[in-house]
Amino acid sequence: MKAIHKFEDFLNEAKGPQDLNKIYLAYNPDLGHRFWSYKDFAADKFFIRLTPENYKDIKINKDFPILTYNSKVVQTLIDEDLINPENVYNKPEFIVNSGSKAEFHKIVDGDENIPKTCLKTEDAIKEVGFPMIAKPTEGHSGLGITVIKTQKDFDAADHDKLDVYSQYIDKKSEHRFFTFKGKPFFWQERKPTNDKAKTGDGDGKEKMMFDYIKKDVSKTPEKFNTLIAKFGKIFSDLPYICFDIMEDQDGKLYIIESNSMPGVPFDSTVDIYRVLFEDFYGRKVDAETDAKLQELADYMIKRSAELDGGDRFTVEK
């Protein structure tokens, strides 16, 4: 800790950012989430990171809120009475409602903004029809997902690895919204860059590849806001949740996936911090913290633009 020797030093210190490091991030760096893990993305400059390796070495303040990015870490902290469960965004017992495709579809089955979905192989053709999207119950980045267009394709598929069969949507655009209590606070458009992402064609072992365009969330079209508010109520046990929304050629919107622990490019970590801080503490961060967070946000946008060859992450002008 910095020593303060003069009264002037005390005054300068008092004017510094007072609202940094007032939220815990519970995660496991061994399981990915590169934007949380990379030192260059500076998450440790405003979140206090709790991991399986360091949590016993940190004097944890039970009055602080905690953001869940690994359920096992959070459950360990709860079991060892190191945190207050009421301060957790999101509680481990509800994570599966978003993280499991099967559980997600059980909750939203039959909604007009969800593609027709079937969880039983034997009923998939009758309830969904061709073409259909077949998915494993757990997964990310399109791994394991395949398009089944004909009876021949259906018969040839490895159904032991598939648990969810959904209506194929001829998409016009695709968007990812980070939301909190039914309101979007961070918006990216996802532009497909390979056939697997564009049409679903390709091997099940292949990843879907996208470019990400950060958009001005204050300009979110009303039909997206309305849809997000509706699904925010459905998933009210997960106040922090990301929705992938597909728009078809006729302009109809579909929620195709949810994720309560999404990847966090650009300056999304700063936006997350701001949103959680205001909700938990009942006020915005102080002016000095606000300025520091903006400095970090500008830096992280620049760093994102340099990743993966320099053209995957861009900001809409």
Side-chain angles (χ1 to χ4, degrees), residues 25 27 33-47 49 186 263-271 273 292-293 295-308 313:
L25 170 72
Y27 88 122
H33 294 300
R34 64 176 177 168
F35 294 103
W36 287 121
S37 301
Y38 286 180
K39 282 187 174 295
D40 283 348
F41 279 86
D44 59 344
K45 294 188 182 299
F46 42 103
F47 281 95
R49 297 188 284 195
F186 188 84
V264 284
F266 300 109
D267 57 339
S268 55
T269 53
V270 170
D271 285 352
Y273 190 89
K292 183 62 178 178
L293 288 174
E295 175 188 325
L296 292 166
D298 293 341
Y299 175 74
M300 286 186 281
I301 288 174
K302 178 177 180 294
R303 284 288 293 116
S304 290
E306 297 168 351
L307 288 174
D308 302 337
F313 298 92

Side-chain angles (χ1 to χ4, degrees), residues 198-217:
K198 290 176 183 177
T199 64
D201 290 335
D203 189 274
K205 297 178 181 179
E206 182 183 6
K207 285 187 176 182
M208 290 182 175
M209 299 300 296
F210 297 91
D211 287 344
Y212 291 86
I213 304 165
K214 181 186 175 184
K215 300 174 75 72
D216 184 349
V217 74

Side-chain angles (χ1 to χ4, degrees), residues 82-223:
L82 295 173
I83 62 173
N84 181 351
E86 295 306 308
N87 295 349
V88 174
Y89 303 90
N90 298 303
K91 293 181 175 58
E93 60 263 35
F94 300 121
I95 295 290
V96 69
N97 293 340
S98 171
S100 164
K101 292 180 176 64
E103 292 302 317
F104 171 77
H105 282 289
K106 286 178 184 177
I107 294 170
V108 299
D109 185 42
D111 189 280
E112 65 174 338
N113 296 111
I114 296 292
K116 288 187 295 184
T117 302
C118 179
L119 303 178
K120 294 182 178 180
T121 302
E122 59 270 24
D123 296 332
I125 296 175
K126 179 178 68 174
E127 295 186 11
V128 177
F130 299 121
M132 69 176 71
I133 301 284
K135 312 172 186 178
T137 187
E138 308 287 347
H140 61 88
S141 304
L143 291 172
I145 294 177
T146 184
V147 174
I148 297 177
K149 298 180 178 180
T150 66
Q151 183 70 55
K152 182 179 179 181
D153 293 340
F154 189 87
D155 293 340
D158 186 354
H159 295 283
D160 289 338
K161 297 180 180 179
L162 301 171
D163 299 276
V164 180
Y165 302 85
S166 295
Q167 173 188 358
Y168 176 84
I169 304 297
D170 184 12
K171 64 184 174 185
K172 176 182 178 182
S173 64
E174 190 169 338
H175 306 265
R176 173 165 287 181
F177 285 94
F178 290 15
T179 76
F180 187 76
K181 294 186 176 179
K183 295 182 179 180
F185 67 87
F186 188 84
W187 175 20
Q188 303 169 88
E189 184 172 0
R190 304 202 310 176
K191 291 283 190 180
T193 58
N194 64 352
D195 288 341
K196 182 72 176 290
K198 290 176 183 177
T199 64
D201 290 335
D203 189 274
K205 297 178 181 179
E206 182 183 6
K207 285 187 176 182
M208 290 182 175
M209 299 300 296
F210 297 91
D211 287 344
Y212 291 86
I213 304 165
K214 181 186 175 184
K215 300 174 75 72
D216 184 349
V217 74
S218 70
K219 297 178 180 178
T220 301
E222 190 55 36
K223 66 179 182 179

